[in-house]
């Protein structure tokens, strides 16, 4: 009996289309993920150089997919009994001699088995994916880890979820409730994995998360790539406990369901309705006169009708559980992302409306399937119900039905928009107690941007569904349309704003300047495509499937019938609107502006490299002075540039030709660039922005010449891919960085930074692969740094309500007419990393000794300026005392808008200025925060760049960031310790080490010793902090500072050769005693980790009343390679040992030379000891840090 | 919003004209893309009152009905209701049309009251109060008033057809088209449905298509027989029956003789009655001794046209 029910259920389920669809989805999902060779685009957990088929990943995949597939479980398992109630065939089962056990569990197990079987799709997906990907991404493929993950991760997860939802659906006989429970499960899941991390015990998390997702990520946080590749998925007592616990929970739930399930046809509440059913109307019809109706026709009446009809349709969807669940999930996701990291970098910022709205994008992903599915349901509803002939015979205008379908779909979409609004307002007010709600911004973003996107979706979906001959074809074509849309426009980058239907230009919203100059860009593209959308809509209603003749050919014929004169006029109006706005956009994009997509851009860069690379070796003159007159005209987004460079030949041979790059296409006037000596043009490549001048008489070594340039720049009109953000109504931000093209100011000589840097793209174009970072021994690179040492004089002007800022000391400022002028100059040479800013600011002023300190900020963002000021002072004091005097008379922090500024929330340092983007420290929410003052902390780091980056200018080789970022981190740590104490510093260090250990495995090029780091933030910043702190603990802060002082003395503001990491290491070695020289190698030239573990600790009181502490500990020293393969190296190191008293006071602290893996040690202390540890403050990198300390016990007297 | 109807309409028009209209079908042709001639030069004049269109399945009845209900295009010919050209002035016709399709369904959770009121709205009864009165009147007329709040999903075939008629009666129709309304109803339901149809006023053109002879004999005072797209005859049923007087003969024969009889005579119908095979044949004279003359009925008319026209 049981077996036959089981079999029937299983086979029925397997033969259902749902089974194949679900298995197909899982197959596709896992195949996609396994075969994706761009690691950052993986959906599932996977990182760095680890193999795609690492056992850990396989288990994580199963765990994650079991959760994502909760809907599959609800459909396959939960409905296995409940569907009998739906179909009202339960009577049949209850009246046959089937017993309750066989019925319930036969169905349950049948459903569960089919649920498990769909995951076979995952296995095939993975295997096929691995087979298709480049073999370097996979290790040896074996079935063991797959079977492990399937049997011990997936199956128990499905049993648990299956029993929960099965029991619920079976007992309540309500699928709606069960769907709601599915949300509950997802909520519970995010609560466990999202809310508990701050709470103490990771072990508890591992057990309480029934899916094992937490367990796997917590157990392997610090795993290396080598471990991920070679170890099986971790199994320990927590794993076993988790599995047993949740299996027991499943059994309890099922048992409960078994006893509560009543084997009767109707629950009480239904019987009433049953009686009602016997009512059958028999009697003779009553001859009632039917009053004559006054009939109303016409377009107004049809409009009302279409709205009424649409409400009848949409209310069925709006109150449908599946729809509500999807809405809820979409909004919850936005809400969750917002509340968890309300702002960039995961640090807490004030919950501005714009931050919430940035999360609303996640809703967009839901909107496509929702529009396709419900659009299909709506369009086909009358045909599915076979009421279409009735509606078609009613006297309504030909557009009435189309309009009603559109209104329905739009109202569903609008419901989403409203839900998103409500979610945001709730999050802002209830979670954050923030009441500056900015409803106007909500409206602009949700309606003018998002809702219009949805409108286009609705138009397309209804258009497609109306054309095709059946619903499923419609679904298929709609899905195909959006896949093609993604592939063609997003992945392949083809098409432009004029050819991509519904195109939304990329824009940036600033809390300071709002949508700013993006308004016309957005407005015209929106209008353009709305015209087209309405044309499609007209086409849809003309071709509407109305009569019983549904073939397209016949409908085209019928469409002509509906082409009334008024319709024709409408079509002509729409078409001419479309064409004229299109022409206007074309004029702005292609005539006023230079349209260059990535392909064109790369073509130019390739040509630049191929034709002019040889000039790299030619001698170029150096810029020694820059004079600049720059006038900002913010109101029409323009500026006039008038300047000159003084060039000196510092080479040994004469220079005949001088080349410069001037690639900015905002230049609107004829470019006037001249040398002060007679010359003629030898190269002119406006496309590449590369020009050459040949001197009549060559420039002899030591001779100088000036290059004068003058032109206007302006952002004209609007452009989708070239919005010229640096010229803004408020917050213009010009710079002369050589890393970015186009460049507004002439840059002398061939610039290798303009070459294509992506190696895949280089290979495709037959260019040699290149690494951005030259090796340490590259003598050419040792002579290259960013910028020149220049004398800088500038006069800036701007409109009267703005402030113009650039590098250097402010000499004077004055007003003339309705313009303001600012004159800047320097006595000392300066690194030529220049910025010119114009904006409306408030200023906070202060002084440190004779240096003027200023903070330019947006009036609404005054939250943290005092902390910034404190940070500036602390860092300025620390650096000028310990390294060298500060050479200038000004330091300024300037708040930059998001527009035109590289890097979200980040700060960038230039000589005498550092700019901090508006989403960074200015709006960090530090109210009631007791831990780290991130604003102070970051300010000290950025200030330190005045020394490390601008005074000390490193060569562009590997390790360059160590001399800049790591040393700035060092200053940050020292300032932090001085201002906030040791404990806070240890906390910070600990988070730095966490970050380092966590990110090692994600490194795509492999970990390097500090000496040779590249673009590896987790090394340059995070490990850098740990390394520098350890160094000063061993050789003293003073020694470190004296080494840095000597380095600055040798290289600071000096010409080439520029310093590299070996110079830094040499300076450190000089101040390090012989006994600790090994430490310099360990920290900078190697990758060394410790495994310190305190095994046991006891104490006894001796006859003098003192305490003898006996300690036993293990110390292992490990050397790691780039992917984390570790070898043990002999230990002969000094490690800190500490004994603490009962109140946490330090009773003993000392360095001990450790020479063997296991050490026993006795220490005499004066007071009662409580705890002892080896490297208790974790100044060394240690992967297991919880075992460095033990509680001491009183040794029993034998 | 731009009005797209071909018929010039004011924003709000009240239709109050009440004249007698004939349905005039002239030379209507329709050939489907698969070559089937669904309408082959159909011409009919249909006055007020109940008109029966009798024909076997696939004869072209539904095509004609749908064409008259503006749901289908004809290849050629014309159809007019009074001064309305059905083929081009679709919207105008729809304003005075009641249509009960052969097959239709509803959203199962709707109730007669809600749905009928909704349809009334679509058919132009814009005034809320008026709509309420009319819907109530019609529901009472079709005897669904008691069931007005039940879900349509639980309705039997007869109840569903009654609801179908109810919606066709909305909006003062001058032309009511009922396509195979009795198919699938049990005899009792059909009776009830017949009495309902018979009460539709005489000032309306009602076209009823059916393949069941009783529908026509019970209800219609005018009829046409259609087969393979052609109108075989169009006359009053009573006259048609009279025309066969003395030409219908009946006999009981044994089963084995049936093929032979079919070959020899114009067999109108073969019926089993109490284990005996009863056959009716069409003949000017008595065909054989065993046959006896019987009074003709409408069924004989139907089959005589169908088989021997």
């Amino acid at each position: 009996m049981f077996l036959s029910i089981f079999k029937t259920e299983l086979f029925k389920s397997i033969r259902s289309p749902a089974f194949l669809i679900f298995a197909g989805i899982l197959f596709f999902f896992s195949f996609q993920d396994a075969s994706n060779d761009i690691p950052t685009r993986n959906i599932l957990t996977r990182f760095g150089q680890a193999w795609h088929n690492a056992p850990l990943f396989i288990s994580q995949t199963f765990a994650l997919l079991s959760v994502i597939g909760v809907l599959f479980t609800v459909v396959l398992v939960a409905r296995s009994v409940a569907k009998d109630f739906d179909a009202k065939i339960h009577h049949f089962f209850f009246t046959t001699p089937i017993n309750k056990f066989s019925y319930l569990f036969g169905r349950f197990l049948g459903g569960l088995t089919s649920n498990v079987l769909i995951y076979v799709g995952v296995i095939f997906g993975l295997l096929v994916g691995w087979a298709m990907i480049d073999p370097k991404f996979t290790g040896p493929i074996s079935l063991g880890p797959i079977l492990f993950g399937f049997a011990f991760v997936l199956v128990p997860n499905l049993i648990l979820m299956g029993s929960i939802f099965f029991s619920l659906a079976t007992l309540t006989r309500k699928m709606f409730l069960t769907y709601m429970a599915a949300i509950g499960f997802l909520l519970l899941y995010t609560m466990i994995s999202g809310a508990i991390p701050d709470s103490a015990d990771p072990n508890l998390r591992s057990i309480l998360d029934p899916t094992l997702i937490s367990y796997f990520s917590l157990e392997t946080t610090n795993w290396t790539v080598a471990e991920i590749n070679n170890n099986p998925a971790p199994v320990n007592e927590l794993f076993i406990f988790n599995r047993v616990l949740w299996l027991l929970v499943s059994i309890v739930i099922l048992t409960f369901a078994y006893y509560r399930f009543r084997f009767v046809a109707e629950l009480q509440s239904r019987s009433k309705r049953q009686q009602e059913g016997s009512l059958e109307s028999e009697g003779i019809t009553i001859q009632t006169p039917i009053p004559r109706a006054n009939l109303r026709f016409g377009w107004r009446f049809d409009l009302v009708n279409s709205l009424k009809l649409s409400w009848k349709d949409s209310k069925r969807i709006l109150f449908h559980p599946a729809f509500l669940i999807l809405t809820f999930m979409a909004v919850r996701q936005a809400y969750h992302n917002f509340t968890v990291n309300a702002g960039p970098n995961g640090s807490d910022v004030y919950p501005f409306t714009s931050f919430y709205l940035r999360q609303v994008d996640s809703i967009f992903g839901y909107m496509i399937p929702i529009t396709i599915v419900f659009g299909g349901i709506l369009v086909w509803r009358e045909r599915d119900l076979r009421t279409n002939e009735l509606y078609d015979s009613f006297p309504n205008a030909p557009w009435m039905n189309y309009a009603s379908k559109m209104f329905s779909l739009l109202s569903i979409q609008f419901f989403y928009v409203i839900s998103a609004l409500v979610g945001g307002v709730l999050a802002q007010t209830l979670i954050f107690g923030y009441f500056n709600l900015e409803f106007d911004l909500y409206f602009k973003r949700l309606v003018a941007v998002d809702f219009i996107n949805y409108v286009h979706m609705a138009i397309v979906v209804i258009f497609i569904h109306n054309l095709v001959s059946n619903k499923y074809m419609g679904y298929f074509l709609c899905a195909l349309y959006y896949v093609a849309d993604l592939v063609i426009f997003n992945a392949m980058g083809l098409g432009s704003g004029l050819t991509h239907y519904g195109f939304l230009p990329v824009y940036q919203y600033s809390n300071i300047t709002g949508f700013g100059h993006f308004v016309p860009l957005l407005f015209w593209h929106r209008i353009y495509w709305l015209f087209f959308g309405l044309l499609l809509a007209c086409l849809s209603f003309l071709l509407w499937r109305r009569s019983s003749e549904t073939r397209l050919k016949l409908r085209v014929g019928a469409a002509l019938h509906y082409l009334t004169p008024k319709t024709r006029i409408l079509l002509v109006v729409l078409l001419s609107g479309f064409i004229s706005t299109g022409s206007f956009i074309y004029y702005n994009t292609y005539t006023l502006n230079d349209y260059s997509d990535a392909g064109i851009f790369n073509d130019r860069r390739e040509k630049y490299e191929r034709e002019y690379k040889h000039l790299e070796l030619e001698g170029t003159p150096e810029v020694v002075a820059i004079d600049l007159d720059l006038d900002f005209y913010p109101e029409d987004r323009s500026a006039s540039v008038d300047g000159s460079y003084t060039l000196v030949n510092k080479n040994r041979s004469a220079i005949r030709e001088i080349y410069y790059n001037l690639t900015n296409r905002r230049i609107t006037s004829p470019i006037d660039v001249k040398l002060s000596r007679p010359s003629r043009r030898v190269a002119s490549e406006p496309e590449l922005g590369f020009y050459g001048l040949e001197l009549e008489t060559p420039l002899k070594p030591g001779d100088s010449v000036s290059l004068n340039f003058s032109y206007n720049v302006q952002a004209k009109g609007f452009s989708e891919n070239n919005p010229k953000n640096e010229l803004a109504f408020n917050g213009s931000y010009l710079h002369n960085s050589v890393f970015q093209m186009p460049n507004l100011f002439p840059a002398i000589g061939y610039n290798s930074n303009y070459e294509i840097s992506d190696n895949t793209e280089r290979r495709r174009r037959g260019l040699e692969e290149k690494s951005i970072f030259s090796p340490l021994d590259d003598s050419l690179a040792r002579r290259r740094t960013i910028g020149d040492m220049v004398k800088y004089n500038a006069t800036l002007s701007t409109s009267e309500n703005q402030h113009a800022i650039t590098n250097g000391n402010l000499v004077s400022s004055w007003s003339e007419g309705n313009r303001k002028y600012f004159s800047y100059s320097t006595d000392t040479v300066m690194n030529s990393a220049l910025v010119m800013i114009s904006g409306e600011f408030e200023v906070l002023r202060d002084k440190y000794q004779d240096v003027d300190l200023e903070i330019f900020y947006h009036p609404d963002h005054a939250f943290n300026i005092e902390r910034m000021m404190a940070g500036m002072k602390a860092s300025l004091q620390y650096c000028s005392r310990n390294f060298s005097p500060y050479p200038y008379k000004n330091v300024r922090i300037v708040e930059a808008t998001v527009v035109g500024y590289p890097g979200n929330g980040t700060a960038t340092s230039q000589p005498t200025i550092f700019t901090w983007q508006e989403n960074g420290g200015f709006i960090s929410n530090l109210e009631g925060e007791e831990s780290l003052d991130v604003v102070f902390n970051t300010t000290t780091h950025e200030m330190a760049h005045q020394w490390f980056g601008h005074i000390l200018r490193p060569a562009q080789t590997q390790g360059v960031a160590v001399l800049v970022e790591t040393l700035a981190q060092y200053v940050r740590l020292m300032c932090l310790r001085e201002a906030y104490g040791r404990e806070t510093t240890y906390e910070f260090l600990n988070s730095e080490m966490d970050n380092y250990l966590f990110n090692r495995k994600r490194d795509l090029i492999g970990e390097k010793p500090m000496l040779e780091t590249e673009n590896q933030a987790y090394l340059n910043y995070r490990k850098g902090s740990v390394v520098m702190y350890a160094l000063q603990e061993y050789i003293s802060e003073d020694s470190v500072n004296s080494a840095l002082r000597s380095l600055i003395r040798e290289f600071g503001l000096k010409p080439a050769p520029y310093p590299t990491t070996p110079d830094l290491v040499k300076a450190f070695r000089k101040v390090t005693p012989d006994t600790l020289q090994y430490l310099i190698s360990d920290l900078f030239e190697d990758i060394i980790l410790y495994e310190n573990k305190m095994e046991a600790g006891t104490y006894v009181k001796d006859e003098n009343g003192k305490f003898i502490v006996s300690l036993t500990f293990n110390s292992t020293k490990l050397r790691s390679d780039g992917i984390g393969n570790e070898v043990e190296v002999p230990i002969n190191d000094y490690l800190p040992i500490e004994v603490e008293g009962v109140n946490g006071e330090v009773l003993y602290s000392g360095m001990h030379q450790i020479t063997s893996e296991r050490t026993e040690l006795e220490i005499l202390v004066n007071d009662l000891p409580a705890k002892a540890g080896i490297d208790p403050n974790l100044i060394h990198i240690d992967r297991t840090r919880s075992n460095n300390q033990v509680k001491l016990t009183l040794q029993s007297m034998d | 919003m731009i009005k797209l109807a071909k018929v010039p309409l004011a924003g709000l028009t009240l239709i109050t004209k009440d004249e007698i209209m004939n349905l005039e079908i002239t030379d209507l042709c329709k050939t489907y893309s698969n070559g089937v001639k669904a309408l082959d030069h159909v011409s009919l004049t249909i006055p007020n009152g109940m008109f029966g269109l009798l024909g076997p399945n696939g004869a072209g009845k539904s095509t004609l009905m749908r064409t008259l209900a503006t749901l289908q295009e004809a290849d050629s010919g014309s159809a007019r209701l009074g001064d309305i050209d059905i083929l081009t002035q679709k919207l105008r016709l729809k304003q005075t049309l009641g249509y009960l399709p052969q097959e239709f369904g509803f959203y199962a959770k709707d109730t007669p009251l809600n749905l009928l009121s909704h349809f009334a709205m679509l058919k132009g009864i814009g005034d809320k109060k008026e709509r309420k009165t009319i819907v109530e009147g019609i529901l009472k007329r079709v005897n669904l008033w008691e069931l007005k709040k039940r879900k349509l999903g639980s309705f039997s075939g007869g109840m569903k057809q009654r609801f179908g008629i109810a919606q066709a009666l909305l909006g003062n129709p001058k032309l009511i088209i009922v396509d195979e309304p009795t198919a699938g109803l049990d005899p009792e339901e059909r009776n009830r449905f017949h009495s309902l149809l018979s009460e539709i006023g005489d000032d309306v053109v009602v076209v009823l298509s059916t393949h069941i002879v009783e529908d026509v004999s019970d209800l219609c005072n005018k009829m046409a027989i259609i087969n393979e797209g052609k109108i075989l005859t169009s006359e009053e049923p009573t006259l048609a029956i009279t025309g066969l007087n003395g030409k219908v003969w009946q006999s009981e024969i044994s089963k084995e003789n049936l093929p032979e009889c079919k070959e020899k005579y114009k067999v109108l119908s073969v019926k089993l009655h109490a284990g005996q095979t009863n056959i009716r044949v069409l003949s000017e004279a008595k065909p054989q001794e065993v046959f006896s003359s019987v009074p003709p009925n409408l069924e004989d008319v139907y089959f005589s046209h169908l088989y021997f026209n």
Side-chain angles (χ1 to χ4, degrees), chain A residues 6 47 50 175 249 384 418 569 587 599 665 754 818 871 993 1016 1046 1078 1085 1136 1190:
Chain A
F6 168 78
F47 15 74
M175 281 315 289
V249 170
D384 288 346
I418 296 295
I569 292 170
Y587 170 71
R665 284 160 211 287
Y754 294 171
N818 58 356
M993 202 189 299
Q1016 294 161 303
S1046 71
Y1078 79 91
E1085 298 166 349
V1190 285

Side-chain angles (χ1 to χ4, degrees), chain A residues 279 283 293-297 305 312 316 385-387 389-390 392 396 399 547-549 564 566-567, chain B residues 2 4 11 13 30 66 71 73 94 99 104-105 107 110 118 121-122 124 130 134 143 150 167 172:
Chain A
L279 179 81
N294 290 315
L295 299 182
R296 297 178 194 173
F297 302 111
N305 270 337
K312 197 171 167 59
R316 288 186 191 132
L385 292 173
R386 290 179 293 112
T387 37
E389 293 209 339
L390 287 180
D392 291 341
N396 306 112
W399 48 266
S547 58
S548 42
E549 290 179 296
T564 57
K566 281 183 182 166
T567 314
Chain B
I2 288 174
L4 298 152
T13 312
K30 173 76 181 179
R66 282 213 192 95
L71 298 179
E73 308 286 333
K94 283 178 186 178
Y99 175 55
F104 62 96
Y107 186 64
D110 263 329
H118 167 70
M121 175 86 199
L122 290 174
E130 194 185 7
I134 290 174
N143 199 21
R150 255 181 85 166
Q167 64 81 26
N172 328 326

